[in-house]
Each structure stands twice: as C-alpha cells, then as structure tokens.
Amino acid sequence: MRLGQTSVVHFTSSFLASVLGFASTVYIARILGAEPLGVYNLAIGLVSWLAIVGKVGFSRAISKRVSEGDEQGEYAVAGATVILGLFIVVAVGIALFRGRVDAYIGYPAAGYVILILLAVLLNGLVNSLLIGFHLVHVSGVLSPIRTGGRALAQVTLIVAGASTAALFVGHILGFVAVIAIGSYFVLREAPSLERPNQEHFEALVDFAKFSWLGNLQSRMFSYTDIVVLGFFVSSGLIGVYAVAWNISQFLILFSGTLRSTLFPEMSEISAQEDPQAVSRIVEQSLTFGGLFLIPGLFGGVLLGERILRIYGPEFPQGTVVLSILIVANLFMGYQNQLLNTLNAVDRPDLAFRVNVVFVAANLVLNVVLIYTYNWVGAAVATAISVAVSLALAYHHVDALIDFKTPVGEIAKQWLAGGVMAAVVYGGLWTERTYRVIGHNFALVLLLVLLGAAVYFVVLLGLSREFRRTVSRNLPADITFNPR
C-alpha cells in the first residue's frame, strides 16, 4: 500500500475507535457519574506506568529489529520471552503490595491491575510485531475492535447492574479480542519462529537501553498528571480531567498514524542508505503532524464547554483544562514525528536525551504545579514539558539530517483554522441570539461538521502540497486536479 493510503486506513480505524470510545464514555459518565470514571482512569494510569517496567523499551526495539528484515522469527521470540518474564516480576510485586495499591486507587482493584497489565503487554507485543512486519494497517484496524469490544462489554455489564467493576472487566475483554486476532496475522506473516541466541537478545537490549525512556515519555505524557492528581484531588475531579484528556487525545490520532506508518519505512531506508535519505519523509511528517491538531485547538477553545456538557453537569468545569491539554497535544504531535525520526535512523541515544529532559520536567512540574494550582497546574505542566522537549528534539534532528521545516504549509493550516474558527463563532453567535437549534449535542455536531468542512475546503484552496497529497492517495478511479 502507498504510505498515504496506509495512513488513511490506520487513521480511519483510529477515528472509528475514538468515536466508539466517545459514545461509551458519554453513556458511562451520564449513568455512573465522574467518580467511577476517576477510579477507573487512575487504575489505568497505574497500569500504564507498570507497563513501562514490563516493556523497558523492548516493544520499540522489537519493531526496529523485525522491520530491518533479518532473522525476524528469532527477534520475535526473543522479544516475547523478555516481555513475559518482566511481567511475572511486576505481577509478583503488585500481589505483594496489594493493600497499598487498593488504598491508592480507592477501590479493590489490584487483581484487575494484574490482568490488565498482562493484556496491555501482550497487546503491545503483538502491535510491535505487526509494525515490524509492515502491517500497520492491520494494527490500525484492531484499534476499533478493541475499543468497540471494550465499550460493548462495559455498557452491557452496566445495564446488567454492575458498576465500577464493569469498567475493568470490559477493558480486559476488549484486549483479549484484539490479541487473538493480531496474533493470527503475526503468525501468518512471520517466516518462522526460531529459537533466538544471545546475539538476538543483545541486539534488542542495545536498542532498548535507549528507547525505554521513550516508553516512559509516552506514558508520562498520557498519565503522569492523572497519577499525581490521585494524591491531591478527589476521584470525581480525576474523572472530569480524564474526560478532557481523552477529548484532546482524539485530535492527535493522525499524528500517531503518521508515526506508526513512517517508522518502518524510514527504518528500512536508513538501514540501506545514509540517514539523509529520509529527509523528504521527515518534511512530510512535519507538514501533516498538526493537520488535525491546529483546527482542533480553535474548535476546543470555542466549543470546549459545550462538548463537556454532553457528558453531564459535572464536566464543564474542565473547560480551561481541555484547552490547555489541546495545546500540549499540538506540541506532542510534532515532537512525536521528530523522535520517530531519531529512532528510525537508529539514533535512540539522541531520542533518549530528549526523553530525559521531558521526563524530568514533566515529573517535577506536575508535582509543583498540581500542589500549587490544583488540576489546572497538571495541564500546564504537561504543556510546558512537551514544549521544551519539542525544541530539543528539533535541535537533534536538524543537526543529523538536512531538511527544510515546512513553515509555509503549517502557516496555511493555521490560516485555514482561523477561517474555520470565524465560521464556528458565527454559528455560536447565531444560536445564542436566535436559538435556532436549541439542543446542545445537535449544535455541537453541526458546528464540528461545518468547521471540518470549511477547514479542509480552505486548506485545499491554499495548499498545493495538500492537494497533491490528496490526489496521490485517492483511489485510481477518482481524479482530482492537484494544481
């Protein structure tokens, strides 16, 4: 598949997964309220941190070594062995400190934490192998299956009368489905699963010793604020914060799709040629890294309060937090592409330096700013730490690869976003003045669809690069004039 078409498949799947997740979260929030959501997200945040110990960078190392094309079966078995061994160590630790885990979460969830950790690690292993075998589109399709399975199980159990436990059980069942399906494709694609030797383990460790901090950076970006908030605020506020975070994460989907799609291609090219050969791909990744995040920032500022109102009366208090978190995700969208480049050209040592700065800044700022400014401080800490690491990542990539920053294309996206914002603001003013619709969800849906249409139509008119990209990746029987 073309890179652009692979990205579309992956993004469409991720988009569908997010829509399913949005629908189920709205239902859960309106039925159970913010507090059970807070307990659930606090437990998931803890699992994400424990998964760092379980992976220690091996997921990225597996993708890298398998994508290089040599002795793939040996690397797959070596990676699985290490990850399962580390899981056993972590699971024993959770069991030994079960009481403290339950007290921190505010719910007897230690058993669920162990099971979810196992599911997360196995799913990460399968996804790493799919990416390594250049089956990114398959990995993407599994995302809505996991989310849909989880949502269906959670809602069914809630309807049957379960409460917080339904969230944990449904989460596990969603993972079980995709692990089984993904394993089928991995086993079908793998040339053979051979017994690894010491050299295979050493090759994984050589890459993982730097990339483990990338996993830490990713998890800290997603969950440090929630984990630290667990020491300072109620489960109800954590639930509101988690909803705001999930909305902001929706906008970074396309950036994640680009990263997953381009990593095996850049890895293969750089393994065969000089790292400079990937410069054009780097420019493309930066061109489209903020494609959805830029209009999302405008939309989040204008519609954030109304979007949060959909979840229930408790949630609009997170409007300011939502806007700040969208800014953090905008920075992360570009930072992801630059770190992806450093890892793909086999320079995890430079990615390691960037991640050290992010981890240190994020941890210190979260503790200080949450203690000082409560949950708004958590959002600000995340945004500042990502901005600092973005600047450092750019410095390293610029020193390694001669590429042109697509300032013009990014500026056109901001201009298109500004036009979209004017249209959306006009729609809000009309509704406030004349109450044409009189229904919050219908108004939000209409303005989101209208804003998206305006943004992409304006961008098509402004950007020749965007027109060419769309034209190259349309089906063969559809024509489009890119000039």
Side-chain angles (χ1 to χ4, degrees):
M1 299 180 73
R2 299 175 191 170
L3 287 180
Q5 291 175 341
T6 301
S7 295
V8 169
V9 171
H10 193 282
F11 172 73
T12 302
S13 302
S14 299
F15 178 82
L16 178 58
S18 293
V19 170
L20 291 171
F22 169 80
S24 64
T25 302
V26 168
Y27 175 82
I28 293 167
R30 297 185 74 90
I31 298 299
L32 299 182
E35 186 170 346
L37 273 177
V39 169
Y40 169 65
N41 280 280
L42 191 55
I44 299 304
L46 179 60
V47 168
S48 293
W49 274 71
L50 294 173
I52 298 169
V53 180
K55 292 180 181 179
V56 199
F58 280 97
S59 291
R60 185 65 61 86
I62 293 167
S63 292
K64 171 61 179 174
R65 297 310 179 202
V66 171
S67 69
E68 291 174 343
D70 296 325
E71 300 179 332
Q72 294 173 316
E74 288 85 344
Y75 283 120
V77 173
T81 302
V82 172
I83 287 178
L84 290 175
L86 290 171
F87 162 73
I88 294 173
V89 174
V90 177
V92 170
I94 297 172
L96 290 175
F97 294 95
R98 183 187 189 99
R100 293 187 180 182
V101 171
D102 291 343
Y104 169 72
I105 296 174
Y107 185 85
Y112 292 126
V113 168
I114 292 174
L115 292 176
I116 294 174
L117 176 62
L118 176 61
V120 167
L121 292 177
L122 290 177
N123 182 66
L125 172 63
V126 170
N127 278 334
S128 297
L129 292 171
L130 288 172
I131 293 172
F133 287 126
H134 297 243
L135 297 175
V136 176
H137 55 292
V138 176
S139 175
V141 169
L142 293 179
S143 184
I145 295 175
R146 183 184 72 238
T147 305
R150 182 194 71 202
L152 178 62
Q154 289 175 336
V155 171
T156 300
L157 290 169
I158 290 172
V159 170
S163 181
T164 307
L167 305 181
F168 293 114
V169 175
H171 197 94
I172 295 168
L173 292 177
F175 272 109
V176 169
V178 297
I179 290 169
I181 297 171
S183 297
Y184 165 77
F185 283 98
V186 167
L187 293 174
R188 191 181 70 171
E189 186 69 20
S192 62
L193 296 179
E194 301 290 343
R195 181 178 179 179
N197 55 40
Q198 184 177 348
E199 285 73 18
H200 297 104
F201 287 99
E202 290 176 349
L204 290 176
V205 171
D206 284 342
F207 193 90
K209 67 184 179 182
F210 292 114
S211 67
W212 71 270
L213 204 64
N215 286 324
L216 180 58
Q217 180 253 31
S218 175
R219 300 297 175 179
M220 288 191 74
F221 177 62
S222 298
Y223 287 106
T224 294
D225 38 14
I226 289 177
V227 171
V228 177
L229 281 170
F231 293 102
F232 293 99
V233 304
S234 66
S235 296
L237 282 181
I238 293 175
V240 175
Y241 190 96
V243 164
W245 175 253
N246 289 333
I247 294 171
S248 70
Q249 279 277 281
F250 176 80
L251 300 171
I252 205 171
L253 288 177
F254 191 71
S255 176
T257 293
L258 280 177
R259 181 183 58 194
S260 297
T261 303
L262 297 179
F263 178 82
E265 306 301 328
M266 287 195 288
S267 174
E268 185 175 28
I269 292 172
S270 66
Q272 298 172 357
E273 306 176 40
D274 185 85
Q276 184 60 41
V278 306
S279 60
R280 176 56 182 162
I281 300 179
V282 175
E283 293 168 6
Q284 289 180 325
S285 71
L286 292 177
T287 296
F288 298 110
L291 183 65
F292 288 84
L293 287 158
I294 291 171
L297 177 58
F298 286 107
V301 171
L302 291 172
L303 298 175
E305 189 272 337
R306 286 185 173 272
I307 293 173
L308 288 169
R309 200 189 303 171
I310 295 171
Y311 290 84
E314 304 169 85
F315 292 90
Q317 61 184 307
T319 301
V320 173
V321 167
L322 173 60
S323 297
I324 298 171
L325 290 177
I326 293 174
V327 173
N329 274 279
L330 175 61
F331 293 151
M332 181 58 77
Y334 293 111
Q335 191 241 46
N336 278 342
Q337 308 309 322
L338 297 172
L339 286 184
N340 194 51
T341 300
L342 293 175
N343 284 315
V345 299
D346 211 11
R347 291 303 304 269
D349 55 319
L350 296 180
F352 182 89
R353 297 178 189 177
V354 175
N355 288 325
V356 165
V357 172
F358 173 83
V359 168
N362 196 30
L363 188 57
V364 172
L365 287 173
N366 261 287
V367 173
V368 172
L369 294 182
I370 289 174
Y371 179 78
T372 307
Y373 300 108
N374 213 315
W375 65 339
V376 174
V380 172
T382 300
I384 293 175
S385 56
V386 178
V388 172
S389 63
L390 168 61
L392 183 58
Y394 182 89
H395 167 75
H396 286 311
V397 174
D398 186 51
L400 187 64
I401 300 171
D402 183 18
F403 71 97
K404 295 181 180 179
T405 305
V407 175
E409 292 299 321
I410 295 173
K412 291 172 184 176
Q413 292 168 13
W414 279 96
L415 181 57
V419 174
M420 180 207 75
V423 172
V424 171
Y425 181 81
L428 287 171
W429 180 87
T430 301
E431 177 64 19
R432 284 195 300 266
T433 305
Y434 301 105
R435 288 194 61 81
V436 178
I437 296 177
H439 189 280
N440 182 59
F441 179 76
L443 177 65
V444 169
L445 181 61
L446 175 63
L447 291 180
V448 167
L449 293 176
L450 175 62
V454 169
Y455 172 74
F456 284 108
V457 168
V458 173
L459 187 58
L460 280 169
L462 291 174
S463 173
R464 178 181 299 177
E465 176 70 18
F466 186 55
R467 292 196 299 272
R468 287 175 175 172
T469 300
V470 171
S471 179
R472 284 196 302 267
N473 293 285
L474 285 173
D477 56 343
I478 298 178
T479 59
F480 180 86
N481 184 5
R483 292 181 297 174

Short mmCIF file of all heavy atoms in Angstrom, two decimals, residues 217 221 327-328 330-332 334-335 338-339 350 353-362 365 380-396:
data_model
loop_
_atom_site.label_atom_id
_atom_site.label_comp_id
_atom_site.label_asym_id
_atom_site.label_seq_id
_atom_site.Cartn_x
_atom_site.Cartn_y
_atom_site.Cartn_z
N GLN A 217 8.39 8.34 28.38
CA GLN A 217 7.92 9.64 27.95
C GLN A 217 6.47 9.57 27.49
O GLN A 217 5.64 10.41 27.84
CB GLN A 217 8.82 10.16 26.81
CG GLN A 217 8.42 11.51 26.27
CD GLN A 217 7.78 11.41 24.91
OE1 GLN A 217 7.13 10.43 24.57
NE2 GLN A 217 7.96 12.44 24.11
N PHE A 221 3.42 11.39 29.40
CA PHE A 221 2.59 12.37 28.70
C PHE A 221 1.11 12.04 28.90
O PHE A 221 0.28 12.94 29.09
CB PHE A 221 2.93 12.37 27.22
CG PHE A 221 2.06 13.30 26.41
CD1 PHE A 221 2.07 14.67 26.66
CD2 PHE A 221 1.25 12.82 25.40
CE1 PHE A 221 1.28 15.54 25.91
CE2 PHE A 221 0.45 13.68 24.66
CZ PHE A 221 0.47 15.03 24.91
N VAL A 327 -3.39 22.23 23.56
CA VAL A 327 -2.09 22.85 23.24
C VAL A 327 -0.96 21.86 23.48
O VAL A 327 -0.05 21.72 22.65
CB VAL A 327 -1.87 24.12 24.10
CG1 VAL A 327 -0.45 24.66 23.90
CG2 VAL A 327 -2.89 25.19 23.75
N ALA A 328 -1.02 21.12 24.59
CA ALA A 328 0.01 20.11 24.88
C ALA A 328 0.06 19.05 23.79
O ALA A 328 1.14 18.62 23.36
CB ALA A 328 -0.26 19.47 26.23
N LEU A 330 -0.85 19.45 20.69
CA LEU A 330 -0.32 20.06 19.47
C LEU A 330 1.20 19.99 19.47
O LEU A 330 1.83 19.59 18.47
CB LEU A 330 -0.79 21.51 19.37
CG LEU A 330 -0.23 22.33 18.20
CD1 LEU A 330 -0.62 21.70 16.87
CD2 LEU A 330 -0.72 23.78 18.28
N PHE A 331 1.83 20.37 20.59
CA PHE A 331 3.28 20.25 20.70
C PHE A 331 3.73 18.80 20.54
O PHE A 331 4.70 18.50 19.86
CB PHE A 331 3.75 20.79 22.05
CG PHE A 331 3.57 22.26 22.24
CD1 PHE A 331 3.37 22.79 23.52
CD2 PHE A 331 3.60 23.13 21.16
CE1 PHE A 331 3.21 24.16 23.70
CE2 PHE A 331 3.44 24.50 21.34
CZ PHE A 331 3.24 25.01 22.62
N MET A 332 3.00 17.89 21.18
CA MET A 332 3.38 16.49 21.13
C MET A 332 3.23 15.91 19.72
O MET A 332 3.98 15.02 19.33
CB MET A 332 2.52 15.68 22.12
CG MET A 332 2.85 14.20 22.18
SD MET A 332 4.59 13.84 22.62
CE MET A 332 4.58 14.15 24.38
N TYR A 334 4.03 17.26 16.91
CA TYR A 334 5.29 17.49 16.19
C TYR A 334 6.46 16.77 16.86
O TYR A 334 7.34 16.23 16.18
CB TYR A 334 5.57 18.99 16.11
CG TYR A 334 4.58 19.75 15.26
CD1 TYR A 334 3.70 20.64 15.84
CD2 TYR A 334 4.53 19.55 13.89
CE1 TYR A 334 2.78 21.34 15.06
CE2 TYR A 334 3.62 20.23 13.10
CZ TYR A 334 2.74 21.13 13.69
OH TYR A 334 1.84 21.81 12.92
N GLN A 335 6.47 16.75 18.17
CA GLN A 335 7.56 16.08 18.87
C GLN A 335 7.60 14.59 18.55
O GLN A 335 8.66 13.99 18.40
CB GLN A 335 7.41 16.30 20.39
CG GLN A 335 8.63 15.87 21.19
CD GLN A 335 8.31 14.78 22.17
OE1 GLN A 335 7.64 13.82 21.81
NE2 GLN A 335 8.79 14.89 23.39
N LEU A 338 9.48 13.94 15.32
CA LEU A 338 10.93 14.11 15.42
C LEU A 338 11.58 12.97 16.18
O LEU A 338 12.64 12.45 15.77
CB LEU A 338 11.23 15.45 16.10
CG LEU A 338 10.76 16.69 15.33
CD1 LEU A 338 10.92 17.95 16.18
CD2 LEU A 338 11.51 16.83 14.02
N LEU A 339 10.97 12.52 17.27
CA LEU A 339 11.51 11.37 18.00
C LEU A 339 11.41 10.11 17.15
O LEU A 339 12.29 9.25 17.19
CB LEU A 339 10.74 11.18 19.31
CG LEU A 339 11.04 12.16 20.44
CD1 LEU A 339 10.27 11.76 21.69
CD2 LEU A 339 12.53 12.21 20.74
N LEU A 350 20.00 9.80 20.96
CA LEU A 350 19.54 11.19 20.92
C LEU A 350 18.09 11.29 21.40
O LEU A 350 17.74 12.25 22.10
CB LEU A 350 19.68 11.74 19.49
CG LEU A 350 21.10 11.82 18.95
CD1 LEU A 350 21.10 12.37 17.53
CD2 LEU A 350 21.99 12.68 19.85
N ARG A 353 18.09 11.38 25.10
CA ARG A 353 18.38 12.68 25.72
C ARG A 353 17.12 13.55 25.77
O ARG A 353 16.84 14.23 26.77
CB ARG A 353 19.47 13.40 24.93
CG ARG A 353 20.82 12.68 24.93
CD ARG A 353 21.83 13.44 24.07
NE ARG A 353 23.05 12.66 23.89
CZ ARG A 353 24.07 13.06 23.13
NH1 ARG A 353 24.00 14.23 22.50
NH2 ARG A 353 25.14 12.30 23.00
N VAL A 354 16.36 13.53 24.67
CA VAL A 354 15.11 14.31 24.64
C VAL A 354 14.15 13.81 25.71
O VAL A 354 13.53 14.59 26.43
CB VAL A 354 14.46 14.21 23.25
CG1 VAL A 354 13.10 14.93 23.24
CG2 VAL A 354 15.37 14.81 22.19
N ASN A 355 14.05 12.49 25.82
CA ASN A 355 13.12 11.91 26.78
C ASN A 355 13.54 12.17 28.23
O ASN A 355 12.68 12.32 29.11
CB ASN A 355 12.99 10.41 26.52
CG ASN A 355 12.22 10.11 25.25
OD1 ASN A 355 11.28 10.83 24.91
ND2 ASN A 355 12.61 9.07 24.54
N VAL A 356 14.85 12.21 28.47
CA VAL A 356 15.32 12.53 29.83
C VAL A 356 14.82 13.91 30.23
O VAL A 356 14.32 14.11 31.35
CB VAL A 356 16.87 12.48 29.89
CG1 VAL A 356 17.37 13.16 31.16
CG2 VAL A 356 17.35 11.04 29.85
N VAL A 357 14.96 14.88 29.32
CA VAL A 357 14.51 16.24 29.61
C VAL A 357 13.00 16.26 29.85
O VAL A 357 12.52 16.89 30.80
CB VAL A 357 14.89 17.18 28.44
CG1 VAL A 357 14.25 18.55 28.63
CG2 VAL A 357 16.40 17.31 28.34
N PHE A 358 12.25 15.57 28.99
CA PHE A 358 10.79 15.57 29.16
C PHE A 358 10.39 14.93 30.48
O PHE A 358 9.54 15.47 31.21
CB PHE A 358 10.12 14.83 28.00
CG PHE A 358 8.64 14.65 28.21
CD1 PHE A 358 7.76 15.67 27.90
CD2 PHE A 358 8.15 13.48 28.75
CE1 PHE A 358 6.40 15.53 28.12
CE2 PHE A 358 6.79 13.33 28.98
CZ PHE A 358 5.91 14.36 28.66
N VAL A 359 10.95 13.76 30.76
CA VAL A 359 10.57 13.03 31.98
C VAL A 359 10.86 13.87 33.22
O VAL A 359 10.02 13.99 34.12
CB VAL A 359 11.29 11.67 32.04
CG1 VAL A 359 11.15 11.04 33.41
CG2 VAL A 359 10.74 10.74 30.96
N ALA A 360 12.06 14.44 33.29
CA ALA A 360 12.43 15.24 34.46
C ALA A 360 11.52 16.46 34.60
O ALA A 360 11.00 16.75 35.69
CB ALA A 360 13.89 15.66 34.35
N ALA A 361 11.32 17.19 33.49
CA ALA A 361 10.49 18.40 33.54
C ALA A 361 9.05 18.05 33.88
O ALA A 361 8.41 18.73 34.70
CB ALA A 361 10.56 19.13 32.20
N ASN A 362 8.53 16.99 33.27
CA ASN A 362 7.13 16.64 33.48
C ASN A 362 6.87 16.22 34.92
O ASN A 362 5.87 16.64 35.54
CB ASN A 362 6.73 15.51 32.52
CG ASN A 362 5.23 15.36 32.40
OD1 ASN A 362 4.48 16.32 32.53
ND2 ASN A 362 4.78 14.15 32.16
N LEU A 365 7.43 19.41 37.30
CA LEU A 365 6.40 20.43 37.11
C LEU A 365 5.02 19.94 37.55
O LEU A 365 4.23 20.72 38.10
CB LEU A 365 6.36 20.85 35.63
CG LEU A 365 7.52 21.72 35.15
CD1 LEU A 365 7.44 21.92 33.64
CD2 LEU A 365 7.52 23.06 35.87
N VAL A 380 -0.98 22.54 32.69
CA VAL A 380 0.10 23.48 32.35
C VAL A 380 1.44 22.77 32.39
O VAL A 380 2.30 22.98 31.51
CB VAL A 380 0.09 24.69 33.32
CG1 VAL A 380 1.32 25.56 33.09
CG2 VAL A 380 -1.18 25.50 33.15
N ALA A 381 1.66 21.92 33.38
CA ALA A 381 2.92 21.18 33.49
C ALA A 381 3.16 20.31 32.27
O ALA A 381 4.27 20.24 31.73
CB ALA A 381 2.91 20.33 34.75
N THR A 382 2.11 19.66 31.82
CA THR A 382 2.23 18.80 30.63
C THR A 382 2.59 19.62 29.40
O THR A 382 3.48 19.24 28.62
CB THR A 382 0.91 18.04 30.40
OG1 THR A 382 0.63 17.23 31.55
CG2 THR A 382 1.00 17.15 29.17
N ALA A 383 1.92 20.75 29.21
CA ALA A 383 2.18 21.58 28.03
C ALA A 383 3.60 22.13 28.02
O ALA A 383 4.29 22.12 26.99
CB ALA A 383 1.16 22.72 27.97
N ILE A 384 4.08 22.62 29.17
CA ILE A 384 5.43 23.20 29.23
C ILE A 384 6.49 22.14 28.98
O ILE A 384 7.44 22.36 28.21
CB ILE A 384 5.66 23.86 30.60
CG1 ILE A 384 4.76 25.09 30.76
CG2 ILE A 384 7.13 24.27 30.76
CD1 ILE A 384 4.84 25.73 32.13
N SER A 385 6.35 20.97 29.59
CA SER A 385 7.37 19.92 29.44
C SER A 385 7.43 19.42 28.00
O SER A 385 8.52 19.13 27.48
CB SER A 385 7.10 18.77 30.41
OG SER A 385 5.81 18.25 30.24
N VAL A 386 6.30 19.34 27.32
CA VAL A 386 6.31 18.91 25.92
C VAL A 386 6.96 19.97 25.05
O VAL A 386 7.72 19.65 24.13
CB VAL A 386 4.88 18.61 25.43
CG1 VAL A 386 4.90 18.21 23.96
CG2 VAL A 386 4.25 17.48 26.23
N ALA A 387 6.67 21.23 25.31
CA ALA A 387 7.26 22.30 24.51
C ALA A 387 8.79 22.30 24.61
O ALA A 387 9.50 22.46 23.60
CB ALA A 387 6.70 23.65 24.97
N VAL A 388 9.31 22.10 25.81
CA VAL A 388 10.76 22.07 26.00
C VAL A 388 11.38 20.89 25.25
O VAL A 388 12.40 21.02 24.55
CB VAL A 388 11.10 21.99 27.50
CG1 VAL A 388 12.60 21.75 27.70
CG2 VAL A 388 10.67 23.27 28.21
N SER A 389 10.76 19.71 25.36
CA SER A 389 11.31 18.52 24.69
C SER A 389 11.18 18.62 23.18
O SER A 389 12.01 18.09 22.43
CB SER A 389 10.63 17.26 25.21
OG SER A 389 9.26 17.25 24.90
N LEU A 390 10.14 19.31 22.69
CA LEU A 390 9.99 19.53 21.25
C LEU A 390 11.16 20.34 20.71
O LEU A 390 11.73 20.01 19.66
CB LEU A 390 8.67 20.24 20.97
CG LEU A 390 8.48 20.81 19.56
CD1 LEU A 390 8.51 19.70 18.52
CD2 LEU A 390 7.16 21.59 19.48
N ALA A 391 11.52 21.39 21.41
CA ALA A 391 12.64 22.22 20.97
C ALA A 391 13.94 21.43 20.92
O ALA A 391 14.73 21.54 19.96
CB ALA A 391 12.80 23.43 21.90
N LEU A 392 14.17 20.58 21.91
CA LEU A 392 15.39 19.77 21.94
C LEU A 392 15.39 18.72 20.83
O LEU A 392 16.42 18.48 20.18
CB LEU A 392 15.54 19.11 23.31
CG LEU A 392 16.82 18.29 23.52
CD1 LEU A 392 18.06 19.17 23.32
CD2 LEU A 392 16.82 17.68 24.92
N ALA A 393 14.24 18.09 20.60
CA ALA A 393 14.14 17.08 19.55
C ALA A 393 14.42 17.71 18.18
O ALA A 393 15.12 17.12 17.34
CB ALA A 393 12.76 16.44 19.56
N TYR A 394 13.89 18.90 17.95
CA TYR A 394 14.15 19.59 16.68
C TYR A 394 15.63 19.87 16.51
O TYR A 394 16.19 19.71 15.41
CB TYR A 394 13.36 20.89 16.64
CG TYR A 394 13.53 21.65 15.35
CD1 TYR A 394 12.69 21.41 14.26
CD2 TYR A 394 14.54 22.60 15.21
CE1 TYR A 394 12.86 22.09 13.07
CE2 TYR A 394 14.72 23.29 14.02
CZ TYR A 394 13.87 23.03 12.96
OH TYR A 394 14.06 23.71 11.77
N HIS A 395 16.28 20.28 17.57
CA HIS A 395 17.72 20.56 17.52
C HIS A 395 18.50 19.33 17.08
O HIS A 395 19.38 19.41 16.21
CB HIS A 395 18.20 21.04 18.88
CG HIS A 395 19.69 21.07 19.02
ND1 HIS A 395 20.48 22.04 18.43
CD2 HIS A 395 20.54 20.22 19.68
CE1 HIS A 395 21.75 21.80 18.70
NE2 HIS A 395 21.81 20.72 19.47
N HIS A 396 18.19 18.17 17.65
CA HIS A 396 18.93 16.95 17.32
C HIS A 396 18.67 16.49 15.88
O HIS A 396 19.60 16.09 15.17
CB HIS A 396 18.56 15.83 18.29
CG HIS A 396 19.14 15.99 19.65
ND1 HIS A 396 20.47 16.27 19.86
CD2 HIS A 396 18.59 15.89 20.90
CE1 HIS A 396 20.72 16.36 21.16
NE2 HIS A 396 19.59 16.13 21.81
#
